[in-house]
Amino acid sequence: MSLAEADNNDRKGVMAGSSVTSEAILFYDRKGIAKSMLYADFEAILDGMVGVPEYARREMRGAYCVVNGQLKIKALVLFLIGFDEDGMADHTWNVPLRHLAEHGGPGPDMGAGPIRLACRSQCPVAWHQDQLWDPSMKPGANDFVAARDLVRQRGAKMGLEVDDDLPPPRAVPTLSDEPVPTVKAARADQREDAERVRLARTIKELRLRIHTLESGQKEELAQLRYAQQQKEEILSAQLEKVLMQFKTLKSQNAALREQNGSLKAQVEALNRSLEERAGRDAEQGSEVERLTEQYKLTLEQRLEEERARLADEIHTREMDVLNRDEVIGQLRGELSELKRDQLKVAHSGARKMLEKLEDLGLSFIAFHPGAGHVSVPAEQISDYMDNPQAFAARKCLVTEDHYRAWLEHYENPVCRVVVGPEQTPCGKRVIRVDVPNQFKPGVSDCNSNRCPHCRSDSSIDNVLKFR
């Protein structure tokens, strides 16, 4: 029996079950399932009729379950939902649970054959992927086992419908049903078929677990890349600041060197004039020599004083440069505080108006390439208006410069390698990267098959022709 045959047998087993189905909602926390309810009660929460105070200011992991009359789960949708400070559900939440349950992929066998599963790593509707979560399948902390046991134990108390008129289980074929030579051979074939079905289901569960682990690793990798980019930008800004200070000190040092050179030239000129005068006045003898030595001593004293004064001046300027940054930082802090105070006073009226609109059920949604439709809360409207690109970059888990570079590539996906004596971009078509955190500047916007500075890549022509 192949894997396809095992899947077909599992689906036939599910369809042969009871036609009575019920819908339930389960909420998970760190210790397991914390709350369970019928889907009708969950709809009342979504409509804002009731709240869940214990989930205030939290984003909860929920599970939508389709249960048959035997209290066995047939479909499962793992979704995320947030609650405000009063415990009311997010009014912008719009995940189509029933649609995802009907079109979910194959999942583990929870008693009625393989279930239909929709989670983050297996989502039939791509734009709802961020609103789903992946289950844990670790021994002792398996989310599927927790859901199966709770529905089996508390399903009737929750109000799930139970089919009391279920047909009896299908009997095992006897010797008259299948012409098998011996009873042992029939039992051996049954055990072999059962083992193949078990292996097929185990392989599907392992594949689901592998997809879940890969999705978690990709999300952690994106977070690490975002943190690394932030650190690189901070270090680059600090390096640029140090280089500016170094250039300033270097220019001051060059000016002092020129001044010192001019003083040395004056000393040499004076020495030559003294020597010439000493030659002309040789007859005066020791008197001239005494005056010359006295003048040299006086001049050397002046030079030493001038060097000491210049050294003090250099030291003073260096201290001024070091103290200037601290003063600038303090002034910037005071300026930011003044701006915040002014913004609080200026935007208090607008803020109240936005909060009233939000309380009335209005939401502010903006669209940005790569981030999609982004919901902007009232308290973040000011930040969004100051810099929409930075707000979208944070939603995409990239820096603002990285997002702007990707946006330029997304709007015009061409090769930007500088070629030719005129130093102009290549401008040939390249494959567009649709996800910001997968875009690599200098790599994703280069067409290696078009530019002489890139290595050859013949596969890109086929891709562009296909598009």
Side-chain angles (χ1 to χ4, degrees):
M1 182 183 292
S2 63
L3 294 177
E5 292 174 351
D7 292 341
N8 291 331
N9 291 337
D10 292 339
R11 293 191 182 96
K12 290 178 181 178
V14 175
M15 297 301 293
S18 173
S19 60
V20 176
T21 58
S22 304
E23 298 171 305
I25 297 294
L26 310 178
F27 286 104
Y28 287 80
D29 59 7
R30 294 181 180 178
K31 298 181 180 179
I33 298 177
K35 197 176 187 65
S36 60
M37 63 182 69
L38 294 177
Y39 183 72
D41 299 332
F42 181 67
E43 287 182 328
I45 294 175
L46 293 179
D47 293 337
M49 299 175 63
V50 294
V52 189
E54 59 267 29
Y55 295 157
R57 297 181 180 178
R58 294 176 61 185
E59 185 179 52
M60 297 301 298
R61 295 179 300 152
Y64 168 75
C65 307
V66 178
V67 185
N68 65 6
Q70 295 176 316
L71 296 182
K72 296 179 181 179
I73 297 177
K74 297 174 62 178
L76 198 64
V77 180
L78 305 178
F79 62 91
L80 296 171
I81 183 171
F83 294 87
D84 61 11
E85 58 186 6
D86 297 326
M88 305 300 292
D90 183 7
H91 61 276
T92 62
W93 188 86
N94 59 349
V95 179
L97 298 178
R98 289 173 176 165
H99 178 79
L100 296 179
E102 292 176 0
H103 297 83
D109 185 0
M110 299 182 69
I115 66 171
R116 297 188 300 275
L117 176 64
C119 58
R120 177 167 291 187
S121 58
Q122 184 174 288
C123 182
V125 183
W127 54 84
H128 291 300
Q129 184 177 9
D130 293 338
Q131 295 176 291
L132 304 183
W133 59 281
D134 284 329
S136 173
M137 303 176 68
K138 298 180 181 178
N142 194 317
D143 294 332
F144 293 117
V145 174
R148 181 197 65 189
D149 295 342
L150 186 136
V151 171
R152 181 185 302 168
Q153 296 171 5
R154 300 186 64 249
K157 296 180 180 179
M158 289 171 56
L160 299 178
E161 297 183 11
V162 180
D163 192 354
D164 297 330
D165 300 329
L166 291 175
R170 184 170 57 88
V172 180
T174 61
L175 291 175
S176 60
D177 297 331
E178 296 180 2
V180 183
T182 62
V183 175
K184 291 183 179 180
R187 292 179 178 176
D189 291 339
Q190 291 176 359
R191 286 196 299 269
E192 184 178 356
D193 292 342
E195 182 65 19
R196 288 179 179 176
V197 172
R198 188 185 65 81
L199 290 175
R201 293 174 179 174
T202 303
I203 290 173
K204 289 191 291 184
E205 292 180 0
L206 291 176
R207 287 175 179 172
L208 176 61
R209 186 172 183 179
I210 290 172
H211 289 316
T212 301
L213 294 175
E214 288 178 351
S215 177
Q217 290 177 354
K218 289 180 180 179
E219 187 172 357
E220 291 178 0
L221 183 60
Q223 294 286 349
L224 291 175
R225 286 179 178 173
Y226 180 63
Q228 182 181 0
Q229 289 179 354
Q230 286 184 330
K231 290 182 180 178
E232 289 178 355
E233 290 182 356
I234 292 173
L235 293 176
S236 298
Q238 292 178 352
L239 179 60
E240 184 178 358
K241 182 178 180 180
V242 171
L243 289 176
M244 291 296 295
Q245 294 178 356
F246 175 75
K247 290 180 180 179
T248 302
L249 293 175
K250 188 175 180 180
S251 61
Q252 293 177 355
N253 191 18
L256 293 174
R257 287 180 181 275
E258 291 178 359
Q259 188 175 3
N260 192 17
S262 63
L263 291 175
K264 287 183 178 180
Q266 292 178 5
V267 171
E268 290 176 358
L270 290 173
N271 288 332
R272 287 195 299 270
S273 64
L274 289 175
E275 289 174 357
E276 292 174 358
R277 182 175 295 179
R280 290 193 302 267
D281 300 336
E283 64 278 4
Q284 294 181 0
S286 60
E287 183 66 20
V288 174
E289 292 178 356
R290 185 182 65 81
L291 293 175
T292 302
E293 291 295 330
Q294 184 177 0
Y295 185 78
K296 287 183 178 180
L297 291 174
T298 304
L299 187 58
E300 288 178 356
Q301 290 178 356
R302 290 180 59 189
L303 289 174
E304 289 295 332
E305 293 174 357
E306 188 67 17
R307 288 194 186 98
R309 186 182 66 79
L310 293 176
D312 292 337
E313 185 177 354
I314 292 173
H315 180 70
T316 302
R317 291 184 179 180
E318 290 177 350
M319 294 301 295
D320 292 338
V321 171
L322 294 176
N323 294 330
R324 189 179 303 163
D325 295 333
E326 296 180 358
V327 175
I328 291 174
Q330 294 176 357
L331 293 176
R332 286 179 177 174
E334 295 176 358
L335 182 60
S336 62
E337 291 180 359
L338 291 175
K339 287 183 177 180
R340 284 196 296 270
D341 294 337
Q342 292 178 357
L343 288 175
K344 288 180 180 179
V345 175
H347 295 291
S348 60
R351 181 68 176 273
K352 291 180 180 178
M353 178 62 68
L354 292 176
E355 290 177 352
K356 289 181 179 179
L357 292 176
E358 189 174 20
D359 293 336
L360 292 175
L362 296 178
S363 59
F364 306 93
I365 299 175
F367 177 80
H368 289 273
H373 290 86
V374 180
S375 178
V376 184
E379 61 270 12
Q380 297 180 3
I381 288 292
S382 179
D383 297 337
Y384 177 81
M385 293 177 65
D386 292 338
N387 195 343
Q389 301 291 344
F391 188 89
R394 287 195 297 271
K395 291 294 182 181
C396 296
L397 297 179
V398 296
T399 60
E400 182 180 355
D401 295 337
H402 186 97
Y403 180 80
R404 290 180 182 275
W406 170 84
L407 186 60
E408 185 178 2
H409 163 76
Y410 180 83
E411 294 176 351
N412 187 18
V414 297
C415 179
R416 302 187 183 280
V417 176
V418 178
V419 296
E422 298 178 358
Q423 297 295 311
T424 58
C426 174
K428 300 295 182 181
R429 292 274 298 175
V430 298
I431 299 175
R432 183 172 65 185
V433 178
D434 296 329
V435 181
N437 59 8
Q438 295 179 0
F439 175 73
K440 298 180 180 178
V443 177
S444 302
D445 54 355
C446 294
N447 188 347
S448 58
N449 191 34
R450 301 290 184 180
C451 299
H453 300 285
C454 303
R455 59 186 178 84
S456 62
D457 185 4
S458 59
S459 62
I460 190 171
D461 290 335
N462 297 329
V463 176
L464 292 175
K465 288 179 181 179
F466 177 76
R467 287 192 170 188

